[in-house]
Amino acid sequence: QLTESGGGSVQSGGSLKVSCRVSGFTYGDGCLGWFRQAPGKEREVVAGIDGLDRKIYKDSVKGRFTISHHRTGRYTVNPYYGEMTVSLEMGSLGPEDTATYYCAAAPCPSVEKWNYMYNTYGQGTQVTVSS
C-alpha cells in the first residue's frame, strides 16, 4: 500500500517535499521511486532507489531533487519487509516540474534494471510551480 503526502503550489525557484508511506512491501529485492505525469504527457520516472541504496534520477532533475527512505514501523531485516517512508525533496523548481507525482514500488533486481510494468502506484499528489 502506498500513500502519498506533501506537494502543493510554489513559485519558480522554490522547494517542495513529497513523501510516501509504504507498507506491505518486501524492500530487500525491490525498488521504490517517484514518477510524474503532466497533462497530455506520459508518466515518467523522476527518481528511484533500491534495497542497496542505489539511486537513479531523471537527467533534468539531477542536482535539484533528492530521493531518500527510512523505516517508520515494524520490519523484518532479511528480507526487509515492513513499513517505511520514501521521500523526494525538490529544489529549484520550475514550471516544467508541474505534474501529478506518484509514488511507486515494484520487485526488481536493482534500480538500474527496474521494469516499470510491474509497478504499483499510489493515488498521486499534485505539484504546481508558477512562473
Side-chain angles (χ1 to χ4, degrees):
Q1 187 174 10
L2 308 172
T3 306
E4 296 106 336
S5 61
S9 298
V10 68
Q11 291 188 331
S12 285
S15 301
L16 283 174
K17 180 179 179 179
V18 290
S19 296
C20 176
R21 183 179 177 218
V22 183
S23 60
F25 181 70
T26 302
Y27 187 54
D29 55 357
C31 295
L32 298 172
W34 288 92
F35 290 67
R36 69 186 182 188
Q37 187 168 20
K41 296 186 177 181
E42 294 187 354
R43 189 175 296 181
E44 60 181 8
V45 60
V46 178
I49 187 170
D50 65 20
L52 294 180
D53 279 354
R54 292 170 293 204
K55 302 173 184 178
I56 59 166
Y57 293 95
K58 178 180 173 61
D59 285 345
S60 63
V61 307
K62 288 179 180 178
R64 301 190 296 122
F65 290 13
T66 302
I67 189 171
S68 62
H69 72 281
H70 64 276
R71 299 163 183 160
T72 55
R74 292 184 174 183
Y75 59 92
T76 60
V77 174
N78 186 24
Y80 181 80
Y81 180 90
E83 295 182 354
M84 67 168 65
T85 295
V86 57
S87 299
L88 184 69
E89 295 188 62
M90 304 178 287
S92 300
L93 286 162
E96 67 277 11
D97 298 311
T98 294
T100 300
Y101 283 69
Y102 297 90
C103 179
C108 75
S110 71
V111 71
E112 294 89 354
K113 297 180 180 179
W114 187 350
N115 188 333
Y116 304 143
M117 69 179 291
Y118 298 115
N119 283 2
T120 296
Y121 292 99
Q123 80 284 358
T125 185
Q126 181 66 35
V127 170
T128 302
V129 185
S130 57
S131 57

